[in-house]
Amino acid sequence: MSIADQALTEDLASRDDMIVCKGVSKWFDDFQALKGVDVTVKDREVMVVLGPSGSGKSTLIRCINRLEVHQEGSIVVDGIELTNDTRNIERIRSEVGMVFQQFNLFPHLSVLDNITLAPVWVRKKSKVEAEQKAMELLERVGIPEQAQKYPGQLSGGQQQRVAIARSLAMEPKVMLFDEPTSALDPEMIAEVLDVMKDLALGGMTMMVVTHEMGFAREVADRLVFMESGEVVEVGTPEHFFTNPREERTKLFLSQIL
Amino acid sequence: MTDIAMTPQPPVDTTTARTSPLQWAKVNLFSSVSNTIQTVVFTAITLGLVKALLGQMFSEEADWSSVATNLRLLMIYNYPADQIIRIWVSAGVVLFAAGLSLGAWRVEPGYTVGRLGRHLVGVGVFSLVLRLLLPVHAPDAIRTGLVVVGVVSLAIGLAVRRADSSGNRVMGFGTVLGGFAVVALAVLWLVPFGQYGLVDGVRVAETGTTVASSTKVPWTILLIIVVLSHRVGVLLGRLLGGSLRAALAAFWVIGPAFVIFVILRDPAFDWAHVWSTDIPLAFVFALGGGLVIYFVAAPGKSELARGLGAIMLVFSVFNWVAAFFGWYPMLQKVRISFLIFAIVVMLVPAFAGDRSTRRRVAGGWVAGMLVLHWLITAINTESTLVITAPPFLGGFVLTVGIAYYVMLASFPLGVLLSLARTSKLPIFRVMSTGYIEVIRGVPLITVLFFFSIMLPLFLPKGMGISDLAAVFAGYTVFSAAYMAENVRGGLQSVRRGQYEAADALGLTTVQRTSLIVLPQALRVSIPNLVGQAIAVFKETSLIAIVGGFDLLRIANSTIPNQPDFLGQKRPGLLFISLVYFVFAYSMSKSSQRLEARLKDAQAR
Amino acid sequence: MSEASTSSAIRYGTTKPPLWRNAAVLKWFAQLAVLIGVLAVFWFLIAEARTNLAAKSIPVGYDWLDNPANFQLGEGIQTVDTPERALTMSRALWVGMVNTLRIAALGIIFSTILGVLVGISRLSKNFVAQRFSSAYVEGLRNIPVLVQIILWLAILGSLGKLTPETGPIPGWVIVSQKGISLPRVFLADGFYQFAALMLVFMGGIVVMRRQLKKRQDRDGGDQRIGLWTFVTFVISAVVAWVINPVMAFLGPVFGAVEDAWGAVPQAAMQILLSVAAVVAVVAWIRKFLDSKRSPAGLAKLTDDDWFRMIFSGFIGLVAVFVVVKGWPGLSSWIINSGSDFWGVLSDKYGDGRGAKPFDAMRPTLTEGRFVNFGDTGLTLTVFYASIFLGLVFYTSAFIAEVVRGGILAVPSGQSEAAAALGLSRAQALRKVVLPQAFRVIMPPLGNQYLNITKNTSLGIAVGFSEIVQVGQTVYNKNSQTLAVFSIYMIFYLSCSLSISAVVNTINRRLAIVER
C-alpha cells in the first residue's frame, strides 16, 4: 500500500478518488517546498493537513487549484489532470472552492455582490437566480442580514463566513481551507468552525490546513502530517492522537497539544 | 525659523470667533522674539511683492482695454460673430450637465458659515490693503471699487460671524451655488465694466455703460441654468439613482464631441453619400456585429469566440497593411470598425452570460458603433461655418477642449500600459516600461514637435492629418505614460490575495482585471489622476509654441500685434494667468476634498 | 464522478494539452505576436518616412554634423564662426546642450534653496509666515510655467535701456531690458590642473579622516575631525593653487590614450561588441539557471523558463547581427567619439594652460552691448533671466510642498521619543526628524530636478539658445528632423538617467534596513 492510501478504512477505500497527488514536487527558485508528495483524498472525505509552519502544507493545497504550479509529478482532481491546458484549469477552478486565511473578500463589492460575482460571470447564471442562491447560502452560514453591507463593515468571523458562502456559491465538488481560523480573534473561531462542521456533515469533500486540533479530532476522516515538504505520516484521528508512529509526529503533537 | 511645527498643524488658530483681535495677534504674531521677527519679515516681503505686482498691473504703459476689448478673442478666437448663439447653447448644454452631475453625485464642499465669515473678512481686509498699495497711475474706478468691495465684504463678514456664533453650521452646495450666482449677477448688472467692441473695424471703448447686453443676458441665463440644474440633479438623483449617473457619465464621454460637431461645427453632410454609404455601413456593422456578439456571448461558445476573434484580428491587421501598400481601397471607417469588432469578439467570452447580459453587451455594441460611425463621418465632413481666420478652435475653448480630450484619450492607453508594466509577462513588461520611461524622460515640447513635424512624414501617400490632430495625438501619447505611472501606484496597492481569490473563483484574466483589480486600483489613484488633469490643463499652454491659437498665443502674440495695442503683453498675460489659476486652483481644492472623502469611505 | 478516473486509461503525468490550449504556449505566442506587431508598425513607419524623405531628396544619416552651421546662436560658449574654432552643426548643438545644462544646474540649486525656505516657513506657527508661504505655493504652482516664463520676459523687457550705469549699483550690477549682469568668478585656464591636483589631495584627506575617526572610536573624546579636515583642505587648496602647473603632464597622457583609441581597428571593435553581447546573454542565462539551482540539484525547468532562455539567446543574436551587419557605422562611431573625448581632455591639459584656476571680472559693455561670453561679468540675458526666474519660482513651489510633506511624514512620536531621551529641540531636529524626513523627500525631489531639466526646453518660447531651440534651427536649415530628434532623445534620456542614478544612490544610502 502506498503512502497515499494509508489508513484507508473499508468505507473510504470503496469510494472514488477525488484528489490524487503523485510525486508532486515544487521549487521556489532554489528552495524545494514540496518533495514528491503522495496524497489521495477520497470522495466525501475530510482530510486535515497538519505540520509546522514552512512544512509545505499551504503550498500543497494551493497547487491543487493551481494558484501555485507544481513542477514534477501529477495532480488529478475529479479525473481532470492539472496541466497547462487552459480548459482543464478553467474546469478545476470552478469545481474547487478555496477559503483563505486572510478572507480575501473584495472590498469594493457588497457581501451579496461578492457571492454572486462568480456564479454570474463564470457559471453564466442570471443575476436573479444567483442572488436567490446567495441568500440561501448566507442563511446557511447564519448572516442573511448582512447581505447589503460591505466587507469592511463586518467582523473577521463574519467575513470568513461570507468567504465560505462565496466559495459554496460555485457549487464546488471540493473545498480547500488554508488556515481559515488563523487570522481570527479567539471568540470568532467557533462560529467559523461550526460552519465547516456542517459542511463536512453535508458530505463535502474537504482538505483543511489548520491548527485547530479539536476540529481535526472531531471532524476529520484522516490526518496528514507534513514536515519540510514531505508527507511524514497519514492516519485516522484516533491513530494520531493516541499512538503516532513517527518520532517527528510525536514531537509536533506534544508541542501543539 | 525655529518654530517649526513637527506635527500636522490645524490651519492656524481658527477659534477667533471667541477671542479678541488683540489676543489673537498676541498668540499668533508676537508670542516670542522669533515669532515677532517672522511677522515683521514676512509682512515686509508680502507688502513689497504685492506692491510690485500692482506696479506691473497698473504701470503707465499697461492698457487693460487690450484685454477687455479682446475678451471674445481670448475665449473663442475667430468664431463668426453672427453664429455666436451656438457658443452660448453649447455652454448651456455643458453647464446644464455639470449642474446635474454635481447634484446627482451629491457633491458637498462642507463649507461652514464660520468659514464664510472668515473668508469675507479676509477679502475685505485684503481689498483695503490693496487700495493703500495702489500705484498713482491706477484708474479711479479701481480705487473706489476696492473700497466698496472691502467695506461691503467686511461688513457682511462681521455680520455673519455675529449672527452665527458657533460657526459650525454647514452650508449645502445648493446654497453656496445660489449665493455665488447672486453675487455674480449683481456684479454683472451693477458694475460698470465699460463696453468695448468693434464698430466698423474700429475699437470703441465706451466707458460708463455696463457689459454689453449681448453677453449680459446669456450669462444671466447660464447662471440660472447652473443653479436650477443642480436642484434638478439632486431631485432626479434621488428618484433615478444609478441610471441617471450612468447616463451622465456617458454624456461626459461623448457629450463634448456631440456639442462640437452638432452645435459648434455643424458638419455639411453630403446627404446623398450619407444615405447611400454612411448609414447602411453603420447599420451593417451595428446590427450584424451585434448579432454575432449576441451569438458568441452565449455560455460555452468561448473557444469559438476566441478563434473567430483571432481570425478577424488577422484580417483587420491585414487591412491596415493593405492600406499602407495601397493594395485595395477601403474606407478608413471600415478598417477601424473591423479592428474594434475583432477585439470585442475576442474579449466577449469574459462578459458573456445569460440572455439579459448578452442583450446588454450586444446593445452596448450597437450604440457604440452608431456613435463611432456618426463621429467619424462628422469629423471627416467640412463645416458649414465659414471661419474667416482659421483655425476653427482657439482661445479658452481650445485650452479646455484639448485638456479634456487628452485626459479622456490617454486614460485607456495609460491603463493598458500600467497593466502591461505590472504584468508577469516579461515582453509586455519590458515594452511598456521602455515606452513609459522614454516618454517620461523627454520634455513634452519635443514630443509635440515630433508629432507635428514627423507624423505627416510617417504617413503613406494620400493620408493626411491636421496640425491640431497631430499635436493632440502627441499630447495623448505623452500623457498616457504619466497616466500609466499614476495607475500603477493604484495597481500596486491591490493586495495579492485579491488576485488569488479571483483566480480561485475561476474568473478569467480579463474578468479578474476588469471586475476586481481595476475598480480597486482606480479608486486609489483618483487623487493622482486629478493632479495629472491639472498638469495637463496647465501644459496645454505649450500648444502655443507648436502653432495652436490657445490663450497664451493670443495674449502673447495676437493682441500685442493689433494696431491699437502694439506691444501690450503684460495685461493679457496677467489676465490669462488669473484664468489658469482659478481653474487649476479650484481643481486642486476639489481633489483634496475628494481625497478626504475617499479616505473616509475607506475607513468605513 | 466522471468515467475518466474510473477507467484505467488515464496515465497520470503524461497528458499533454494541444498547443492552442497550452497556457504557456499561448502566453508566449501572444507576447511575441504583439512584439512582432509593434516592430512591424515601426518598420512600416520608418520605411514610409524613408520613402517620403527620399522623394524630397533628403539624405538620412548623421553626416551633416560636420557641416558649417551658417547661423548664429543667441548666447553660449560660442555663438559665431571664428577662425580658431569653426561653428559646425555639432558644435552648435553642443553649445545648446551646455546652455541647457547651465540653466538646469543653476535652477536646481536656487529652486532647492527657495523651496526649502518656503516649505519650512509653511510649517511655521507664525500666521503671516504660514499664509505667505501658502499663497506663494498655491499662486505659483497653479499658473503654467510657460506663462510665467513669458510673463517674466515681458516684465524684464519693460526695464530701462542698457547702459553701464543702469541698475542698483552702477558699474557693478546692471539691470536692464537687455539683461542682468553681476561680477563673477569663472574657471580660468589652470582649473583642470587644479582640479586634478585637488582630487589627489582629497584622497589624502579622506585617509586622514579615517585615521582620526578610528582614533576617536578607540580613545574617545573630540578629535576635531571637522576642524582638521577644513584646515587641511584650505592648505591643500592654497598649495594646489600655486603648484598646479605640475599636472600639465596629464595632457600628453590623455593625448596618448586618444591616439590609442583612434588606432583601434573597426573589426576589433565589432568583435569586442559581439563578444560583449554574447557574454552578457550567457551570463544572464547562467544567472537564471543558478537561481533555479538548489543543493539538491537543478529544479525542473518549466516551459516558461525555456522560452525565456531561448528568447534571450535570440536577443543576443540580434545584437550581434546589428553590430556586424546591420549597422557597421556603430563601431567606428564608438571609436571616433571615444577618441574625441580623450582629445578634449588632452586639450584641457595642453600647452599654455596652467597658473590661475579661477579669475573674477566686473560687468563690461562693448559698443553698448553685453560681451557675449568670456571676459565679462556674469551676464543673464533677458532670455536666460526669464526662463531662469520662471523655472526657479515655479519649481520652488513644488519643492516647498515636497519638503513640507516630508517633515509632516515623520510621526510625532519620533520627536517625542527624542525629547524623552533628553535631546534638545535642535538635536532632535538634526539627528532624528530631518534624517527621516530626508528619506521621504528625496524621491519626489529627484522628480522635480528631472522636471527642471526637461522644462528648460521651454526656452524655445523666449528664444533662448538651448538644445531644442538650436536643434529646431538646425532642422529648419537642413530638414534632418529624424536625426535631430534622435539627438534630443539621447540627450534628455542621459540627463534623466544621470539624475535618477544620483537620486537612487542617495536613496539607497539612506534606506532604513527593514528586516
Side-chain angles (χ1 to χ4, degrees):
Chain A
M1 183 187 276
S2 77
I3 192 166
D5 297 331
Q6 275 174 18
L8 283 178
T9 59
E10 250 173 61
D11 170 42
L12 278 177
S14 68
R15 294 188 205 163
D16 293 328
D17 294 343
M18 188 53 96
I19 303 173
V20 182
C21 299
K22 280 207 171 151
V24 174
S25 294
K26 160 85 189 162
W27 285 263
F28 291 108
D29 289 335
D30 60 353
F31 170 72
Q32 192 171 3
L34 295 177
K35 299 171 184 164
V37 172
D38 290 333
V39 170
T40 306
V41 181
K42 295 286 185 180
D43 191 23
R44 284 174 287 122
E45 179 184 1
V46 176
M47 178 173 271
V48 168
V49 187
L50 299 175
S53 68
S55 59
K57 50 196 195 311
S58 283
T59 309
L60 176 65
I61 72 165
R62 288 159 64 85
C63 279
I64 289 170
N65 70 347
R66 216 171 170 77
L67 285 181
E68 304 285 357
V69 179
H70 63 283
Q71 283 141 331
E72 267 174 15
S74 73
I75 301 175
V76 177
V77 179
D78 193 19
I80 307 164
E81 176 166 16
L82 277 173
T83 58
N84 258 336
D85 192 334
T86 49
R87 186 189 283 175
N88 285 5
I89 299 171
E90 277 170 31
R91 275 156 67 190
I92 300 264
R93 290 260 172 85
S94 57
E95 281 189 15
V96 179
M98 174 130 183
V99 175
F100 299 88
Q101 184 178 356
Q102 295 296 339
F103 329 137
N104 292 342
L105 292 179
F106 305 129
H108 63 299
L109 300 177
S110 70
V111 166
L112 199 61
D113 288 340
N114 259 287
I115 301 174
T116 56
L117 183 86
V120 167
W121 292 107
V122 181
R123 288 254 189 263
K124 315 289 185 197
K125 282 190 186 167
S126 79
K127 184 90 181 159
V128 181
E129 194 186 339
E131 278 179 3
Q132 255 169 12
K133 173 86 182 164
M135 285 315 292
E136 276 170 35
L137 286 169
L138 280 176
E139 206 88 51
R140 194 160 140 198
V141 299
I143 39 173
E145 71 283 358
Q146 312 285 8
Q148 300 304 332
K149 288 197 180 161
Y150 283 84
Q153 296 164 298
L154 303 184
S155 73
Q158 289 171 328
Q159 288 196 41
Q160 194 60 296
R161 285 188 277 164
V162 173
I164 294 172
R166 180 175 72 175
S167 295
L168 289 176
M170 289 293 282
E171 293 161 352
K173 293 191 173 162
V174 183
M175 286 281 282
L176 308 172
F177 291 85
D178 189 1
E179 307 202 21
T181 54
S182 301
L184 294 177
D185 291 337
E187 72 270 20
M188 293 170 183
I189 291 178
E191 60 190 56
V192 172
L193 290 181
D194 284 345
V195 171
M196 289 168 63
K197 273 177 211 161
D198 284 347
L199 213 54
L201 290 178
M204 175 66 75
T205 313
M206 289 163 65
M207 198 161 174
V208 185
V209 173
T210 187
H211 294 294
E212 294 297 325
M213 290 303 145
F215 176 83
R217 191 189 296 240
E218 191 181 334
V219 182
D221 292 310
R222 281 188 300 164
L223 275 70
V224 176
F225 176 67
M226 286 182 71
E227 197 178 350
S228 45
E230 288 167 308
V231 173
V232 175
E233 193 166 355
V234 181
T236 59
E238 200 182 341
H239 161 80
F240 253 87
F241 291 109
T242 53
N243 185 23
R245 192 173 60 238
E246 302 279 333
E247 272 316 305
R248 288 186 282 179
T249 320
K250 280 179 196 160
L251 185 64
F252 173 75
L253 287 173
S254 69
Q255 282 165 346
I256 204 160
L257 286 176
Chain B
M1 245 167 286
T2 51
D3 284 333
I4 298 164
M6 286 188 215
T7 49
Q9 287 272 300
V12 180
D13 188 12
T14 50
T15 55
T16 42
R18 272 151 302 285
T19 53
S20 78
L22 259 180
Q23 271 176 313
W24 177 86
K26 205 170 168 195
V27 171
N28 286 299
L29 301 180
F30 308 105
S31 63
S32 66
V33 177
S34 80
N35 202 348
T36 313
I37 293 174
Q38 283 184 48
T39 307
V40 173
V41 169
F42 278 98
T43 312
I45 296 176
T46 312
L47 293 182
L49 283 179
V50 171
K51 195 159 169 56
L53 188 62
L54 286 172
Q56 286 298 326
M57 288 168 67
F58 300 108
S59 67
E60 270 172 282
E61 309 98 73
D63 178 3
W64 281 86
S65 62
S66 65
V67 172
T69 313
N70 284 305
L71 270 182
R72 183 196 286 169
L73 200 67
L74 282 166
M75 287 298 135
I76 55 175
Y77 199 55
N78 273 324
Y79 202 79
D82 54 343
Q83 295 289 328
I84 221 139
I85 181 72
R86 290 164 185 271
I87 303 269
W88 291 114
V89 171
S90 347
V93 170
V94 171
L95 286 179
F96 179 69
L100 273 186
S101 310
L102 289 174
W105 270 278
R106 232 161 287 154
V107 176
E108 286 299 339
Y111 201 66
T112 59
V113 177
R115 266 176 73 199
L116 175 70
R118 263 203 317 285
H119 285 173
L120 281 175
V121 171
V123 168
V125 171
F126 191 63
S127 314
L128 293 177
V129 172
L130 279 187
R131 163 68 187 79
L132 290 178
L133 294 173
L134 270 189
V136 279
H137 316 293
D140 288 336
I142 300 283
R143 283 166 199 282
T144 40
L146 279 177
V147 172
V148 171
V149 169
V151 170
V152 168
S153 48
L154 200 58
I156 299 180
L158 288 175
V160 165
R161 295 181 66 168
R162 182 139 310 164
D164 185 72
S165 55
S166 75
N168 291 328
R169 206 142 51 84
V170 178
M171 296 161 73
F173 190 63
T175 322
V176 176
L177 210 58
F180 168 76
V182 168
V183 172
L185 281 179
V187 170
L188 198 61
W189 288 87
L190 296 179
V191 177
F193 285 109
Q195 179 182 341
Y196 297 89
L198 278 171
V199 177
D200 299 329
V202 181
R203 271 183 194 76
V204 177
E206 184 190 327
T207 47
T209 51
T210 55
V211 186
S213 57
S214 66
T215 53
K216 207 154 60 175
V217 174
W219 274 119
T220 310
I221 297 174
L222 288 187
L223 283 169
I224 293 171
I225 284 182
V226 171
V227 175
L228 287 185
S229 61
H230 175 255
R231 262 323 308 143
V232 173
V234 171
L235 293 177
L236 280 183
R238 241 173 249 151
L239 281 176
L240 303 172
S243 46
L244 175 68
R245 270 173 252 174
L248 281 170
F251 173 85
W252 286 116
V253 174
I254 59 158
F258 189 77
V259 166
I260 289 177
F261 288 108
V262 169
I263 307 179
L264 287 183
R265 208 161 146 269
D266 189 16
F269 286 122
D270 174 1
W271 285 106
H273 187 263
V274 167
W275 280 112
S276 66
T277 317
D278 293 332
I279 291 180
L281 258 183
F283 274 93
V284 165
F285 270 105
L287 298 181
L291 281 179
V292 174
I293 286 169
Y294 183 77
F295 178 70
V296 296
K301 295 246 171 35
S302 63
E303 276 171 27
L304 173 73
R306 281 193 201 111
L308 190 65
I311 293 168
M312 292 287 308
L313 198 61
V314 170
F315 173 66
S316 50
V317 168
F318 184 74
N319 278 339
W320 288 94
V321 175
F324 270 96
F325 289 112
W327 285 339
Y328 55 85
M330 185 187 251
L331 283 177
Q332 203 71 286
K333 201 162 28 176
V334 179
R335 288 201 186 94
I336 296 173
S337 307
F338 265 126
L339 187 63
I340 297 176
F341 182 60
I343 294 170
V344 170
V345 168
M346 278 184 96
L347 291 181
V348 131
F351 303 100
D354 70 319
R355 196 168 292 255
S356 74
T357 321
R358 286 157 71 196
R359 222 176 284 147
R360 229 178 309 138
V361 172
W365 165 264
V366 171
M369 254 307 117
L370 293 179
V371 167
L372 183 78
H373 274 245
W374 168 74
L375 210 60
I376 295 175
T377 313
I379 288 172
N380 281 336
T381 312
E382 295 289 311
S383 169
T384 53
L385 292 179
V386 182
I387 310 278
T388 44
F392 166 73
L393 283 177
F396 184 65
V397 176
L398 177 73
T399 298
V400 172
I402 288 274
Y404 186 83
Y405 276 104
V406 164
M407 278 305 279
L408 204 62
S410 58
F411 183 74
L413 198 55
V415 169
L416 275 184
L417 281 169
S418 67
L419 286 174
R421 193 169 182 179
T422 51
S423 121
K424 279 187 199 146
L425 308 179
I427 297 184
F428 284 170
R429 208 171 49 223
V430 168
M431 284 201 298
S432 132
T433 309
Y435 174 94
I436 293 171
E437 291 307 326
V438 166
I439 294 284
R440 275 161 37 98
V442 299
L444 172 59
I445 191 69
T446 57
V447 176
L448 294 185
F449 272 133
F450 184 83
F451 272 78
S452 63
I453 294 167
M454 296 304 290
L455 208 54
L457 271 183
F458 283 137
L459 292 177
K461 269 205 194 72
M463 244 193 241
I465 184 164
S466 78
D467 284 351
L468 209 55
V471 168
F472 171 77
Y475 202 172
T476 304
V477 159
F478 180 82
S479 170
Y482 287 80
M483 184 80 78
E485 281 307 271
N486 286 331
V487 175
R488 184 164 75 114
L491 284 174
Q492 281 168 340
S493 76
V494 179
R495 279 198 299 262
R496 233 178 88 101
Q498 295 290 316
Y499 290 82
E500 289 179 351
D503 281 343
L505 285 173
L507 298 184
T508 63
T509 312
V510 176
Q511 287 171 340
R512 184 185 69 199
T513 309
S514 58
L515 298 173
I516 306 300
V517 178
L518 276 182
Q520 295 184 48
L522 289 179
R523 199 170 297 191
V524 175
S525 15
I526 284 176
N528 287 335
L529 293 180
V530 179
Q532 200 197 336
I534 297 172
V536 166
F537 172 73
K538 284 190 299 181
E539 285 175 4
T540 48
S541 52
L542 266 64
I543 289 172
I545 304 178
V546 288
F549 282 88
D550 76 327
L551 277 180
L552 180 59
R553 175 92 175 268
I554 295 170
N556 190 41
S557 40
T558 310
I559 296 178
N561 282 329
Q562 292 170 340
D564 295 314
F565 306 115
L566 273 184
Q568 281 295 341
K569 283 191 176 180
R570 278 178 287 163
L573 288 172
L574 286 169
F575 174 74
I576 64 163
S577 303
L578 182 71
V579 172
Y580 277 115
F581 173 78
V582 167
F583 277 80
Y585 181 70
S586 38
M587 273 200 270
S588 76
K589 274 288 154 194
S590 45
S591 118
Q592 283 167 14
R593 269 199 299 276
L594 194 67
E595 206 170 338
R597 221 169 96 167
L598 285 176
K599 255 187 201 141
D600 287 350
Q602 207 86 127
R604 192 182 50 189
Chain C
M1 200 73 193
S2 69
E3 65 268 62
S5 69
T6 44
S7 72
S8 57
I10 193 161
R11 276 173 297 148
Y12 297 127
T14 53
T15 41
K16 265 273 172 199
L19 279 185
W20 66 89
R21 285 212 318 255
N22 188 325
V25 173
L26 281 178
K27 213 167 78 177
W28 282 89
F29 178 76
Q31 292 187 74
L32 286 175
V34 172
L35 179 67
I36 290 168
V38 169
L39 290 181
V41 167
F42 271 106
W43 188 76
F44 274 132
L45 292 180
I46 288 172
E48 205 53 49
R50 272 173 177 269
T51 353
N52 287 340
L53 288 174
K56 293 179 190 165
S57 63
I58 299 166
V60 179
Y62 293 86
D63 302 335
W64 51 270
L65 278 173
D66 292 331
N67 297 352
N70 288 333
F71 58 83
Q72 288 195 4
L73 294 175
E75 60 187 291
I77 46 177
Q78 185 187 355
T79 54
V80 288
D81 217 33
T82 59
E84 304 91 65
R85 176 126 217 182
L87 188 67
T88 57
M89 291 286 191
S90 57
R91 176 74 182 166
L93 287 169
W94 171 246
V95 173
M97 290 183 196
V98 172
N99 278 338
T100 295
L101 293 177
R102 225 153 42 106
I103 283 271
L106 272 184
I108 285 175
I109 295 169
F110 280 89
S111 57
T112 309
I113 296 172
L114 208 53
V116 168
L117 286 180
V118 174
I120 291 178
S121 64
R122 212 177 167 187
L123 291 172
S124 162
K125 284 176 185 154
N126 181 284
F127 176 79
V128 186
Q130 206 198 60
R131 279 301 147 99
F132 170 80
S133 24
S134 303
Y136 179 97
V137 169
E138 294 297 354
L140 288 172
R141 76 171 175 182
N142 282 317
I143 298 173
V145 60
L146 183 58
V147 174
Q148 291 190 38
I149 290 170
I150 289 178
L151 193 55
W152 278 113
L153 184 66
I155 291 172
L156 292 174
S158 69
L159 292 172
K161 287 232 156 39
L162 174 63
T163 67
E165 274 72 48
T166 341
I169 313 172
W172 288 83
V173 178
I174 300 177
V175 176
S176 74
Q177 55 176 242
K178 290 283 174 203
I180 299 165
S181 193
L182 312 163
R184 71 153 179 173
V185 174
F186 57 92
L187 309 182
D189 282 347
F191 175 76
Y192 292 90
Q193 278 89 329
F194 176 75
L197 210 51
M198 279 310 280
L199 219 58
V200 175
F201 287 150
M202 289 304 275
I205 293 179
V206 169
V207 171
M208 183 197 74
R209 275 180 65 98
R210 228 171 258 165
Q211 289 300 327
L212 285 175
K213 192 101 202 313
K214 221 179 264 171
R215 199 187 302 167
Q216 177 162 333
D217 290 347
R218 196 181 56 225
D219 304 345
D222 191 354
Q223 297 288 343
R224 299 174 188 280
I225 300 177
L227 182 71
W228 275 110
T229 311
F230 180 73
V231 169
T232 349
F233 183 82
V234 170
I235 292 173
S236 41
V238 171
V239 172
W241 189 291
V242 178
I243 65 160
N244 70 65
V246 298
M247 298 306 276
F249 75 89
L250 281 174
V253 172
F254 286 135
V257 178
E258 175 192 4
D259 294 341
W261 258 98
V264 175
Q266 189 186 327
M269 183 54 77
Q270 282 182 332
I271 292 173
L272 194 72
L273 289 176
S274 312
V275 169
V278 172
V279 166
V281 168
V282 170
W284 187 85
I285 293 181
R286 283 185 62 152
K287 213 178 111 205
F288 183 74
L289 285 179
D290 278 348
S291 73
K292 304 275 168 192
R293 205 186 299 277
S294 70
L298 193 60
K300 191 171 180 222
L301 293 173
T302 59
D303 298 356
D304 225 60
D305 298 337
W306 284 109
F307 270 119
R308 270 167 207 258
M309 288 196 285
I310 292 168
F311 189 71
S312 63
F314 178 72
I315 297 264
L317 277 184
V318 169
V320 170
F321 177 80
V322 166
V323 167
V324 176
K325 212 68 199 146
W327 187 10
L330 177 70
S331 310
S332 49
W333 181 76
I334 292 177
I335 293 169
N336 288 341
S337 50
S339 146
D340 282 353
F341 171 74
W342 293 107
V344 170
L345 271 186
S346 134
D347 257 12
K348 294 288 183 196
Y349 289 91
D351 298 335
R353 302 273 188 154
K356 266 197 281 187
F358 299 102
D359 214 337
M361 283 300 286
R362 279 198 332 177
T364 49
L365 302 180
T366 30
E367 299 163 14
R369 290 168 51 198
F370 284 128
V371 181
N372 209 300
F373 206 81
D375 296 342
T376 177
L378 176 66
T379 303
L380 307 157
T381 60
V382 268
F383 311 114
Y384 189 105
S386 57
I387 185 162
F388 172 74
L389 292 172
L391 281 184
V392 163
F393 281 112
Y394 182 74
T395 315
S396 68
F398 285 90
I399 292 182
E401 277 303 88
V402 168
V403 169
R404 186 176 82 113
I407 294 178
L408 286 183
V410 180
S412 59
Q414 293 291 318
S415 43
E416 283 163 15
L421 286 173
L423 294 179
S424 76
R425 209 180 147 74
Q427 279 173 325
L429 201 62
R430 210 164 69 93
K431 296 277 183 199
V432 177
V433 177
L434 284 186
Q436 295 186 51
F438 202 58
R439 249 196 329 267
V440 183
I441 290 171
M442 216 42 218
L445 195 62
N447 251 336
Q448 291 306 325
Y449 291 167
L450 284 179
N451 285 347
I452 286 200
T453 313
K454 285 185 282 175
N455 279 338
T456 52
S457 60
L458 296 179
I460 195 173
V462 291
F464 175 69
S465 313
E466 42 73 56
I467 174 74
V468 175
Q469 200 258 354
V470 177
Q472 195 187 29
T473 318
V474 168
Y475 67 63
N476 282 342
K477 286 253 168 208
N478 64 7
S479 304
Q480 290 292 351
T481 30
L482 208 53
V484 171
F485 276 110
S486 68
I487 292 173
Y488 286 164
M489 202 172 86
I490 292 169
F491 173 71
Y492 280 111
L493 285 185
S494 31
C495 287
S496 305
L497 285 181
S498 8
I499 291 180
S500 41
V502 171
V503 169
N504 286 344
T505 320
I506 297 177
N507 252 353
R508 220 169 299 131
R509 285 271 169 83
L510 291 173
I512 295 184
V513 181
E514 286 183 49
R515 291 216 302 158

